[in-house]
């Protein structure tokens, strides 16, 4: 029997449908290179309905195995996007498998688009940095961190011994020059218990926002923190070499306590 052009086209279309495996039609990880089933819901929780592309231009580095799940060190470096879409506008960090998934939201403003910090992890999980460039596009860097677990559901040391109230809001700061090319490093510690709200009888109590201001009141960076950031947050920022010798750090926690301290070399 000779097939007409229409019949041949219909048969080819039918065969192509049969040949496509079911899993290829329904990738429930959203194309995640780490294969996490939680990624699609995490992406929507973090950036809404916006699309995001996976890229090696956003580096997320953590330990292969975190012995202390309450203090997991992370580095996020988005300098690879400096020449993309007008540069970096913001960096959002989140953890697929944490009970509280959002970690921080960083606006570099005049700072370099990179920072180092410590977080709590409840279990082994992918850790993400969603980076938005100034053209509105989102880019994702990821890493996998194995962790002993339980970091979000046990009290911190200062909460356990009651010493947190004596140091609440105190700020320690130190500058380091010429650490990386064209950078002046600022390392800050802000004393705060950063309670997750997941310990019985202890409500969520955490720093909500910090901003670094120059003597003229202009912001050099702004960061919003969430519960998974470790107790007494220690955060490292990179400023341009040509930056003022002194700044002011201002902020607040979710109970309305103010943070206001001079930051000088």
């Amino acid at each position: 029997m000779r097939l007409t052009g229409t019949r041949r086209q219909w048969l080819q279309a039918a065969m192509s449908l049969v040949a496509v495996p079911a899993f290829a039609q329904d990738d429930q990880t959203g194309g995640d290179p780490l294969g996490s089933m939680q990624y699609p819901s995490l992406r929507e929780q973090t950036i809404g309905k916006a699309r995001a592309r996976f890229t090696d231009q956003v580096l997320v580095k953590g330990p292969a195995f975190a012995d202390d799940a309450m203090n997991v060190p992370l580095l996020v470096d988005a300098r690879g996007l400096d020449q993309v879409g007008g540069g970096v506008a913001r960096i959002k960090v989140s953890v697929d498998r944490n009970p509280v998934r959002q970690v921080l939201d960083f606006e570099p403003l005049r700072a370099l688009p990179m920072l180092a910090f410590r977080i709590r992890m409840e279990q082994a999980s992918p850790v993400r940095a969603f980076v938005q460039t100034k053209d509105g596009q989102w880019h994702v860097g990821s890493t996998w961190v194995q962790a002993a677990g339980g970091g979000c559901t046990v009290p911190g040391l200062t909460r356990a011994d009651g010493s947190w109230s004596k140091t609440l809001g105190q700020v320690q700061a130190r500058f380091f020059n010429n650490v990386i090319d064209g950078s002046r490093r600022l390392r800050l510690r802000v004393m705060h218990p950063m309670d997750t709200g997941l310990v019985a009888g202890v409500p969520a109590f955490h720093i909500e926002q910090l901003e670094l201001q120059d003597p003229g009141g202009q912001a050099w960076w702004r960061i919003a923190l969430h519960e998974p950031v470790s107790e007494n947050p220690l955060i490292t920022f990179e400023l341009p070499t040509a930056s003022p010798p002194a700044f002011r750090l201002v902020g607040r926690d979710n109970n309305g306590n103010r943070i206001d301290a001079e930051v000088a070399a």
Side-chain angles (χ1 to χ4, degrees):
M1 179 180 68
R2 183 179 180 183
L3 295 175
T4 66
T6 301
R7 287 183 177 179
R8 184 180 295 109
Q9 292 169 359
W10 179 89
L11 182 59
Q12 290 172 343
M15 291 297 291
S16 68
L17 289 175
V18 172
V20 175
F23 67 81
Q25 300 179 43
D26 186 20
D27 178 7
Q28 297 183 22
T29 72
D32 177 26
L34 299 182
S36 171
M37 300 288 283
Q38 292 83 19
Y39 173 73
S41 64
L42 179 80
R43 180 192 61 210
E44 184 167 350
Q45 183 182 356
T46 305
I47 63 172
K49 298 295 184 180
R51 293 190 175 187
R53 72 176 185 92
F54 293 98
T55 176
D56 293 335
Q57 293 171 298
V58 177
L59 301 178
V60 184
K61 296 183 179 181
F65 185 89
D67 294 315
D68 184 356
M70 297 183 68
N71 288 282
V72 182
L74 295 174
L75 169 70
V76 176
D77 185 350
R79 289 177 296 164
L81 295 176
D82 279 344
Q83 305 303 316
V84 176
V88 173
R90 71 192 315 157
I91 299 172
K92 293 190 170 190
V93 178
S94 50
V95 180
D96 289 36
R97 299 181 181 179
N98 258 10
V100 180
R101 301 163 93 184
Q102 302 303 308
V103 176
L104 58 81
D105 184 349
F106 175 50
E107 297 175 73
L109 302 178
R110 303 182 184 188
L112 277 64
M114 61 185 301
L115 72 167
F117 51 97
R118 294 176 181 266
I119 69 169
R120 293 179 169 99
M121 293 186 68
E122 188 63 15
Q123 58 182 301
S125 175
V127 179
R128 318 284 184 175
F130 292 83
V131 179
Q132 187 180 41
T133 44
K134 293 178 182 178
D135 61 359
Q137 300 301 306
W138 286 96
H139 314 260
V140 188
S142 308
T143 194
W144 181 274
V145 177
Q146 293 285 349
C152 297
T153 51
V154 294
L157 294 177
T158 60
R159 173 61 68 180
D161 66 18
S163 63
W164 65 270
S165 61
K166 300 175 183 177
T167 60
L168 183 69
Q170 293 180 7
V171 175
Q172 302 165 0
R174 185 177 178 186
F175 284 98
F176 302 84
N177 291 320
N178 303 319
V179 177
I180 62 174
D181 188 33
S183 170
R184 181 182 180 215
R185 178 166 295 176
L186 170 60
R187 182 169 295 160
L188 286 173
R189 184 188 294 275
V190 183
M191 305 302 288
H192 201 284
M194 298 297 289
D195 297 312
T196 63
L198 300 175
V199 177
V202 182
F205 182 40
H206 61 93
I207 298 170
E208 284 190 325
Q209 188 166 0
L210 296 171
E211 183 175 286
L212 189 72
Q213 299 177 352
D214 65 20
Q218 294 295 311
W220 279 65
W221 53 251
R222 185 179 299 117
I223 189 168
L225 304 181
H226 298 282
E227 294 93 317
V229 175
S230 294
E231 177 184 27
N232 300 328
L234 178 65
I235 311 177
T236 301
F237 303 89
E238 302 290 344
L239 302 175
T241 304
S243 57
F247 292 91
R248 190 152 212 89
L249 182 71
V250 297
R252 65 175 187 274
D253 67 22
N254 67 326
N255 278 11
N257 296 300
R258 309 298 297 183
I259 297 164
D260 190 339
E262 183 180 357
V263 175

